[in-house]
Amino acid sequence: MLKNNLLALLSTLIVAFSWIAFCKFISHKGLVSSSTSRKIVHIGTGPIFVLCWLLFSEISSARWLAALVPLIITVQFLLAGFGVIKDERIIKSLSRTGDPKEILKGPFYYGFVFIIVTVLFWRNSPVGIVALMILCGGDGIADLVGSRWGRRHPIPWSKNKSWVGSLGMFLGGLSFSFSIILVFIFAGFFSINLQETFIRIIIVCITATIVESLPFDNIDNISVPITSIIIGLMVF
Protein backbone atom coordinates (compact mmCIF):
# COMPACT_ATOMS: atom_id res chain seq x y z
CA MET A 1 0.00 0.00 0.00
CA LEU A 2 1.31 3.43 -0.96
CA LYS A 3 0.70 6.43 1.29
CA ASN A 4 0.13 8.70 -1.71
CA ASN A 5 -2.99 7.82 -3.70
CA LEU A 6 -1.91 9.95 -6.65
CA LEU A 7 1.27 7.86 -6.83
CA ALA A 8 -0.90 4.74 -6.64
CA LEU A 9 -3.03 6.08 -9.50
CA LEU A 10 0.03 6.86 -11.60
CA SER A 11 1.49 3.43 -10.92
CA THR A 12 -1.77 1.73 -11.88
CA LEU A 13 -2.00 3.74 -15.10
CA ILE A 14 1.56 2.84 -16.05
CA VAL A 15 1.01 -0.86 -15.40
CA ALA A 16 -2.34 -0.96 -17.19
CA PHE A 17 -1.18 0.95 -20.26
CA SER A 18 2.03 -1.08 -20.40
CA TRP A 19 -0.01 -4.27 -20.56
CA ILE A 20 -2.30 -2.91 -23.28
CA ALA A 21 0.73 -1.58 -25.20
CA PHE A 22 2.31 -5.04 -25.03
CA CYS A 23 -0.86 -6.64 -26.39
CA LYS A 24 -1.04 -4.08 -29.19
CA PHE A 25 2.62 -4.75 -30.02
CA ILE A 26 2.33 -8.52 -30.32
CA SER A 27 -0.81 -8.15 -32.42
CA HIS A 28 0.76 -5.51 -34.69
CA LYS A 29 3.84 -7.69 -35.20
CA GLY A 30 1.65 -10.66 -36.10
CA LEU A 31 2.86 -12.75 -33.15
CA VAL A 32 -0.78 -13.48 -32.29
CA SER A 33 -4.00 -12.96 -34.22
CA SER A 34 -6.17 -9.93 -33.52
CA SER A 35 -8.78 -12.24 -32.00
CA THR A 36 -6.23 -13.80 -29.63
CA SER A 37 -4.81 -10.37 -28.76
CA ARG A 38 -8.32 -9.18 -27.95
CA LYS A 39 -8.77 -12.03 -25.51
CA ILE A 40 -5.33 -11.54 -23.95
CA VAL A 41 -6.33 -7.94 -23.21
CA HIS A 42 -9.66 -9.19 -21.86
CA ILE A 43 -8.10 -11.84 -19.63
CA GLY A 44 -5.09 -9.96 -18.30
CA THR A 45 -6.20 -6.36 -17.82
CA GLY A 46 -8.69 -7.11 -15.05
CA PRO A 47 -6.47 -9.04 -12.63
CA ILE A 48 -3.66 -6.52 -13.11
CA PHE A 49 -6.00 -3.62 -12.35
CA VAL A 50 -7.65 -5.27 -9.34
CA LEU A 51 -4.29 -6.19 -7.80
CA CYS A 52 -3.31 -2.54 -8.13
CA TRP A 53 -6.18 -1.72 -5.75
CA LEU A 54 -3.79 -2.87 -3.03
CA LEU A 55 -1.65 0.20 -3.71
CA PHE A 56 -4.34 2.64 -2.59
CA SER A 57 -4.94 3.88 0.95
CA GLU A 58 -8.10 3.54 3.02
CA ILE A 59 -9.53 7.02 2.40
CA SER A 60 -12.94 7.18 0.75
CA SER A 61 -11.72 8.93 -2.39
CA ALA A 62 -9.37 6.07 -3.25
CA ARG A 63 -12.00 4.10 -5.14
CA TRP A 64 -12.81 7.09 -7.31
CA LEU A 65 -9.17 7.63 -8.16
CA ALA A 66 -8.80 3.95 -9.02
CA ALA A 67 -11.91 4.10 -11.21
CA LEU A 68 -10.20 6.78 -13.29
CA VAL A 69 -7.96 4.09 -14.78
CA PRO A 70 -10.69 2.07 -16.55
CA LEU A 71 -12.44 5.37 -17.34
CA ILE A 72 -9.38 6.73 -19.17
CA ILE A 73 -8.86 3.45 -21.01
CA THR A 74 -12.54 3.23 -21.95
CA VAL A 75 -12.53 6.80 -23.28
CA GLN A 76 -9.53 5.88 -25.40
CA PHE A 77 -11.45 2.88 -26.75
CA LEU A 78 -14.46 5.08 -27.54
CA LEU A 79 -12.35 7.62 -29.39
CA ALA A 80 -10.78 4.85 -31.44
CA GLY A 81 -14.17 3.24 -32.09
CA PHE A 82 -15.67 6.50 -33.32
CA GLY A 83 -12.60 7.21 -35.42
CA VAL A 84 -11.61 10.33 -33.49
CA ILE A 85 -8.14 8.90 -32.97
CA LYS A 86 -6.46 6.75 -35.58
CA ASP A 87 -4.63 3.92 -33.88
CA GLU A 88 -4.47 0.76 -35.96
CA ARG A 89 -2.80 -1.11 -33.14
CA ILE A 90 -5.77 -0.51 -30.82
CA ILE A 91 -8.23 -1.50 -33.53
CA LYS A 92 -6.29 -4.63 -34.46
CA SER A 93 -5.83 -5.74 -30.86
CA LEU A 94 -9.45 -5.13 -29.76
CA SER A 95 -11.58 -6.06 -32.78
CA ARG A 96 -12.25 -9.39 -34.42
CA THR A 97 -12.49 -8.17 -38.00
CA GLY A 98 -10.65 -4.84 -37.94
CA ASP A 99 -13.85 -2.78 -37.81
CA PRO A 100 -13.35 0.07 -35.29
CA LYS A 101 -17.04 0.01 -34.41
CA GLU A 102 -16.57 -3.40 -32.75
CA ILE A 103 -14.71 -1.56 -29.98
CA LEU A 104 -17.96 0.23 -29.13
CA LYS A 105 -19.50 -3.07 -28.06
CA GLY A 106 -17.54 -5.68 -26.07
CA PRO A 107 -14.48 -3.59 -25.12
CA PHE A 108 -16.66 -0.62 -24.15
CA TYR A 109 -18.97 -2.79 -22.03
CA TYR A 110 -15.90 -4.34 -20.41
CA GLY A 111 -14.47 -0.96 -19.38
CA PHE A 112 -17.85 0.35 -18.24
CA VAL A 113 -18.35 -2.64 -15.95
CA PHE A 114 -14.94 -2.11 -14.35
CA ILE A 115 -15.74 1.53 -13.61
CA ILE A 116 -19.09 0.70 -11.97
CA VAL A 117 -17.84 -2.28 -9.97
CA THR A 118 -14.81 -0.38 -8.71
CA VAL A 119 -16.96 2.45 -7.40
CA LEU A 120 -19.73 0.27 -5.95
CA PHE A 121 -17.76 -2.56 -4.35
CA TRP A 122 -14.08 -1.58 -4.17
CA ARG A 123 -12.32 -3.55 -1.41
CA ASN A 124 -15.37 -3.63 0.87
CA SER A 125 -16.79 -6.88 -0.51
CA PRO A 126 -15.47 -9.92 -2.39
CA VAL A 127 -18.55 -9.76 -4.65
CA GLY A 128 -17.10 -7.14 -6.98
CA ILE A 129 -13.76 -8.90 -7.29
CA VAL A 130 -15.42 -12.24 -8.06
CA ALA A 131 -17.65 -10.63 -10.69
CA LEU A 132 -14.66 -9.01 -12.43
CA MET A 133 -12.53 -12.14 -12.28
CA ILE A 134 -15.30 -14.28 -13.76
CA LEU A 135 -15.60 -11.70 -16.52
CA CYS A 136 -11.85 -11.81 -17.18
CA GLY A 137 -10.73 -15.33 -16.43
CA GLY A 138 -14.06 -16.98 -17.14
CA ASP A 139 -15.57 -15.29 -20.15
CA GLY A 140 -12.17 -14.51 -21.66
CA ILE A 141 -10.88 -18.07 -21.44
CA ALA A 142 -14.24 -19.48 -22.58
CA ASP A 143 -13.91 -17.67 -25.90
CA LEU A 144 -10.22 -18.46 -26.27
CA VAL A 145 -10.44 -22.23 -25.71
CA GLY A 146 -13.90 -22.62 -27.18
CA SER A 147 -12.90 -21.12 -30.54
CA ARG A 148 -9.89 -23.43 -30.75
CA TRP A 149 -11.04 -26.74 -29.39
CA GLY A 150 -14.80 -26.61 -28.95
CA ARG A 151 -16.22 -26.42 -32.45
CA ARG A 152 -16.89 -30.15 -32.66
CA HIS A 153 -18.91 -30.15 -29.46
CA PRO A 154 -21.38 -27.24 -29.57
CA ILE A 155 -23.91 -26.68 -26.82
CA PRO A 156 -27.36 -27.81 -28.08
CA TRP A 157 -29.08 -24.54 -27.18
CA SER A 158 -26.24 -22.32 -28.45
CA LYS A 159 -24.52 -23.50 -31.63
CA ASN A 160 -21.84 -20.80 -31.46
CA LYS A 161 -20.71 -21.95 -28.01
CA SER A 162 -19.27 -25.23 -26.81
CA TRP A 163 -18.92 -27.52 -23.84
CA VAL A 164 -15.16 -26.92 -23.93
CA GLY A 165 -15.74 -23.18 -23.78
CA SER A 166 -18.16 -23.54 -20.87
CA LEU A 167 -15.64 -25.70 -19.00
CA GLY A 168 -13.02 -23.02 -19.60
CA MET A 169 -15.49 -20.42 -18.39
CA PHE A 170 -16.12 -22.26 -15.14
CA LEU A 171 -12.52 -23.24 -14.36
CA GLY A 172 -11.09 -19.90 -15.43
CA GLY A 173 -13.60 -17.91 -13.40
CA LEU A 174 -13.12 -20.14 -10.38
CA SER A 175 -9.31 -20.08 -10.43
CA PHE A 176 -9.01 -16.34 -11.11
CA SER A 177 -11.63 -15.45 -8.48
CA PHE A 178 -10.26 -17.62 -5.71
CA SER A 179 -6.64 -16.63 -6.40
CA ILE A 180 -7.31 -12.90 -6.27
CA ILE A 181 -9.56 -13.24 -3.22
CA LEU A 182 -6.73 -15.15 -1.48
CA VAL A 183 -4.39 -12.24 -2.12
CA PHE A 184 -6.88 -9.81 -0.58
CA ILE A 185 -7.43 -12.12 2.40
CA PHE A 186 -3.69 -12.34 3.06
CA ALA A 187 -3.43 -8.56 2.62
CA GLY A 188 -5.97 -8.20 5.46
CA PHE A 189 -8.93 -6.77 3.53
CA PHE A 190 -11.28 -9.72 4.01
CA SER A 191 -11.78 -11.92 7.05
CA ILE A 192 -13.68 -14.87 5.59
CA ASN A 193 -13.52 -18.65 5.77
CA LEU A 194 -11.57 -20.13 2.85
CA GLN A 195 -13.67 -23.26 2.45
CA GLU A 196 -16.97 -21.39 2.57
CA THR A 197 -15.60 -18.77 0.18
CA PHE A 198 -14.51 -21.43 -2.29
CA ILE A 199 -17.99 -23.00 -2.25
CA ARG A 200 -19.64 -19.61 -2.71
CA ILE A 201 -17.41 -18.82 -5.68
CA ILE A 202 -18.30 -22.19 -7.22
CA ILE A 203 -22.00 -21.31 -6.97
CA VAL A 204 -21.43 -17.93 -8.63
CA CYS A 205 -19.25 -19.49 -11.36
CA ILE A 206 -21.82 -22.17 -12.18
CA THR A 207 -24.56 -19.59 -12.56
CA ALA A 208 -22.39 -17.26 -14.64
CA THR A 209 -21.33 -20.18 -16.85
CA ILE A 210 -24.96 -21.03 -17.57
CA VAL A 211 -25.71 -17.42 -18.48
CA GLU A 212 -22.61 -17.20 -20.70
CA SER A 213 -23.75 -20.32 -22.57
CA LEU A 214 -27.00 -18.68 -23.71
CA PRO A 215 -27.32 -17.84 -27.43
CA PHE A 216 -26.91 -14.08 -27.18
CA ASP A 217 -24.13 -12.18 -28.95
CA ASN A 218 -22.09 -9.24 -27.70
CA ILE A 219 -23.67 -9.00 -24.25
CA ASP A 220 -21.49 -11.38 -22.20
CA ASN A 221 -19.46 -8.45 -20.87
CA ILE A 222 -22.68 -7.15 -19.32
CA SER A 223 -24.73 -10.29 -18.58
CA VAL A 224 -21.90 -12.24 -16.92
CA PRO A 225 -20.89 -9.59 -14.33
CA ILE A 226 -24.51 -8.65 -13.59
CA THR A 227 -25.35 -12.30 -12.93
CA SER A 228 -22.21 -12.74 -10.84
CA ILE A 229 -23.06 -9.69 -8.74
CA ILE A 230 -26.67 -10.76 -8.15
CA ILE A 231 -25.72 -14.30 -7.11
CA GLY A 232 -22.68 -13.02 -5.23
CA LEU A 233 -24.83 -10.72 -3.11
CA MET A 234 -27.07 -13.70 -2.32
CA VAL A 235 -24.32 -16.10 -1.23
CA PHE A 236 -21.66 -13.87 0.36
Side-chain angles (χ1 to χ4, degrees), residues 55-103:
L55 299 176
F56 292 83
S57 72
E58 296 290 342
I59 65 173
S60 58
S61 63
R63 70 177 70 199
W64 295 95
L65 285 174
L68 286 176
V69 176
L71 175 61
I72 292 170
I73 294 173
T74 303
V75 169
Q76 183 187 25
F77 291 170
L78 285 174
L79 293 176
F82 283 117
V84 177
I85 59 174
K86 307 293 183 181
D87 191 329
E88 292 300 322
R89 292 188 178 186
I90 289 181
I91 295 170
K92 189 174 182 180
S93 63
L94 293 177
S95 65
R96 290 186 174 93
T97 65
D99 183 355
K101 292 184 179 179
E102 290 184 20
I103 301 175

Side-chain angles (χ1 to χ4, degrees), residues 213-225:
S213 73
L214 298 177
F216 302 113
D217 295 328
N218 299 319
I219 64 167
D220 288 346
N221 286 355
I222 294 291
S223 61
V224 167

Side-chain angles (χ1 to χ4, degrees), residues 120-143:
L120 292 182
F121 291 97
W122 189 226
R123 301 176 306 205
N124 299 330
S125 167
V127 172
I129 294 176
V130 170
L132 294 180
M133 291 307 99
I134 293 176
L135 173 61
C136 299
D139 183 55
I141 291 177
D143 195 0

Side-chain angles (χ1 to χ4, degrees), residues 130 133-134 137-138 167-181 197-206 209:
V130 170
M133 291 307 99
I134 293 176
L167 180 61
M169 167 77 180
F170 173 75
L171 294 178
L174 178 62
S175 58
F176 273 53
S177 297
F178 192 65
S179 297
I180 300 299
I181 289 296
T197 299
F198 187 71
I199 294 172
R200 289 166 180 166
I201 294 175
I202 287 177
I203 295 171
V204 179
C205 286
I206 290 174
T209 298

